[in-house]
Amino acid sequence: MLLGATGLVGGLTLPRLLDDPRCSAVVAPTRRPLGVTDGKLENPVLAFDTLPAVAGWARVDAVICALGSTIAQAGSREAFHRIDHDYPLAFARLAQAQGAQTYVLNSAAGANPQSSIFYSRVKGELERDLRALGFHSLTLVRPGLIGGERNEVRRGERLALTVLGALGPVLPRAWRINPASEIAKALVEAALAPQPGEHVLASGALLLRRHRRPVAGQVLADALGISLRTLYRDIETLREQGADLRGEAGVGYQLAPSDTLPPMTLPPAEIDALVLGLRWVAARTEPALAEAARDALARIAHVLPAARREALRDSGLRVGPSRAAAKVPPARLQAVREAVGSQQRLKFGYEDAHGQRSERIVWPFALGYFDEVPMLAAWCERREDFRHFRLDRIRQVRVLEDRYLVPRATLLRRWQKAQGIAPDWLDPGPYHHDRSQQRSFPMFTPSTLLQYVRDVATSATFYSGILGKPPVEQSSGFALFLLGDGAALGLWQRDGVQPPVSAQAGAAELAMVVANPEAVQQMHDAWRALGVEILQAPVTLEFGHTFVGADPDGHRLRVYSRAEGLVARD
């Protein structure tokens, strides 16, 4: 079964299925006739809102879902959720009830049910709900922006594709353009050669699919916009995850046709470690995290071979009762834990060991679960230093809406250094280069440019266009964009604070470096096409070729390429 056959990816997937001898028949339900004549094709035309409980055409072996829309196309968030979540899930249930064992989803980079970005959250919720159905084989293809000619006009995507062409070298790998033809090829292969368990195929693996012969590492590194050393590290990571990636440095790399990840095969000691750890979480934490631990254990069991699955379920390792559990209300523990994860400021009353009470506003970055009581590690605005707080002495916890602007990972590393704590095995390790450690500032790192805006939704839409990617976080008053190399752009809408009303020369600028003068001109043309106000046409100055634009609030935006002879220093 193919869902979304009238779209860009689905339209390229359909002929592949019809031409593939491994596929005996294709069922492509649509809301209007496809107009395609083929002996292998069945095209039920029906209303997706009222699917039948049983249908003969739904007796299939596998489902490929390339169904998707945009909020602008759908007309509202509710309609978008219905198209991108409810319909794919309804067809999954219908097909599974009649014997389908394989489901392949064209999802999206950044899919996460906890995301503050509505689009990414809906995609993540669909992935989560499909997992819960327990298909024998579930493949999640997560491309970045999809490249190709659509029948319908998606202005946002057309804009992003234009800008990404110029910004490609500086964008994160997850957001690079993936040709629709490569995505269609991956969907078909996952459906016709299914592997047991859950498999995720991200943007980088889709790039490797384009090449049938070994490709030099430097070619791949250039295509991804990363260093050769980073490529070698990513190659080893893919191999550790089970990808059949052949080749070596100096020869070239090739992804074998069977590039989906295999089911888990864990030795007994690792099974014991998983069981004990997850049972500890289920017994010693608040209900939400405990339920997540139980779900994770069930999901791991699902992808283990039968013998290993029995060993996991029959494990004799158990966790005893905790003295700390009765001391901290579950709602308080959950609120603090979620604030750590979302990097939001906390306000609470605190009573120390001597009975002294105080009001604190802190930046929470770590939560330790001890036998006696959970402890919060945070940067305290009042003390201007790291502090530790027992959760049983915290009262009236309130999660503030705004996020703290120093990345949590930076706070954690500095706290570890201050406390003499060695990084654990999950630390990024020697490949991570923390530029903030080179600076003399005791606490803050100038890694975020904060700009005041009149309306955060309008400004977030503007910067999504010129940067070619959505914000990583967005609320009613704040949006945050990652710019690469640890830098970020924050947009803050605050009552009583007005942004600049004009972008006169001499004001501060947000500058973006591109590869060469040609890229500067491309960016200039793309911005003009978007209606961006151009303050200075492209010109060559002492530091390079450049032009200047302005955002809706009057902030100056400069694009430039370095002049020859300038040396970039770390």
Side-chain angles (χ1 to χ4, degrees), residues 465-487:
I466 68 168
L467 296 176
K469 57 183 176 181
V472 293
E473 297 287 348
Q474 184 172 349
S475 65
S476 60
F478 184 77
L480 185 70
F481 290 85
L482 296 184
L483 303 179
D485 201 22

Side-chain angles (χ1 to χ4, degrees), residues 260-525:
T260 52
L261 302 182
M264 290 185 183
T265 54
L266 300 176
E270 292 183 9
I271 290 177
D272 283 347
L274 279 171
V275 170
L276 185 60
L278 289 172
R279 282 180 176 167
W280 189 97
V281 173
R284 300 290 185 92
T285 60
E286 82 278 4
L289 194 58
E291 182 180 359
R294 289 189 287 269
D295 289 345
L297 197 58
R299 190 168 301 153
I300 292 169
H302 179 71
V303 297
L304 285 173
R308 292 283 189 259
R309 190 180 309 128
E310 292 176 4
L312 185 146
R313 289 174 177 167
D314 296 339
S315 172
L317 300 179
R318 293 293 185 268
V319 177
S322 168
R323 291 178 294 172
K327 296 184 178 182
V328 181
R332 183 190 307 168
L333 186 57
Q334 181 174 345
V336 172
R337 177 179 60 82
E338 291 178 350
V340 171
S342 59
Q343 301 185 65
Q344 287 178 272
R345 297 161 71 224
L346 279 176
K347 182 177 182 179
F348 54 77
Y350 191 71
E351 182 176 332
D352 64 19
H354 304 291
Q356 297 293 321
R357 296 184 177 182
S358 60
E359 292 289 325
R360 304 294 182 102
I361 296 178
V362 304
W363 302 0
F365 59 85
L367 181 60
Y369 290 83
F370 295 88
D371 279 341
E372 181 67 25
V373 67
M375 296 283 292
L376 172 68
W379 173 264
C380 179
E381 293 187 2
R382 178 176 177 176
R383 303 298 186 191
E384 296 186 352
D385 201 355
F386 294 114
R387 287 293 186 268
H388 304 125
F389 303 94
R390 290 172 54 122
L391 263 62
D392 60 336
R393 295 177 180 166
I394 287 177
R395 298 290 184 272
Q396 299 176 330
V397 177
R398 185 158 68 93
V399 180
L400 303 182
E401 183 177 349
D402 52 329
R403 291 162 47 94
Y404 54 84
L405 299 181
V406 176
R408 183 178 63 240
T410 300
L411 290 176
L412 181 61
R413 285 191 297 274
R414 289 180 171 171
W415 171 76
Q416 288 174 328
K417 184 177 181 180
Q419 299 293 318
I421 300 173
D424 64 22
W425 61 277
L426 287 173
D427 188 84
Y431 292 106
H432 181 81
H433 180 49
D434 185 3
R435 294 175 183 269
S436 65
Q437 300 299 328
Q438 301 176 2
R439 306 182 185 274
S440 60
F441 299 105
M443 180 59 217
F444 296 100
T445 302
S447 59
T448 300
L449 172 65
L450 184 63
Q451 295 191 162
Y452 293 102
V453 299
R454 295 182 182 86
D455 180 74
V456 73
T458 300
S459 296
T461 300
F462 173 87
Y463 279 99
S464 293
I466 68 168
L467 296 176
K469 57 183 176 181
V472 293
E473 297 287 348
Q474 184 172 349
S475 65
S476 60
F478 184 77
L480 185 70
F481 290 85
L482 296 184
L483 303 179
D485 201 22
L489 169 66
L491 308 176
W492 193 7
Q493 176 184 332
R494 190 177 183 186
D495 293 339
V497 179
Q498 290 297 319
V501 295
S502 65
Q504 298 179 352
E509 299 175 342
L510 171 62
M512 290 167 274
V513 184
V514 295
N516 49 51
E518 291 74 21
V520 171
Q521 188 63 48
Q522 290 173 12
M523 287 286 288
H524 172 265
D525 296 344

Side-chain angles (χ1 to χ4, degrees), residues 178 237 289 335 360 480 539 551 556:
N178 291 119
T237 299
L289 194 58
R360 304 294 182 102
L480 185 70
V539 62
D551 74 3
R556 292 173 65 90

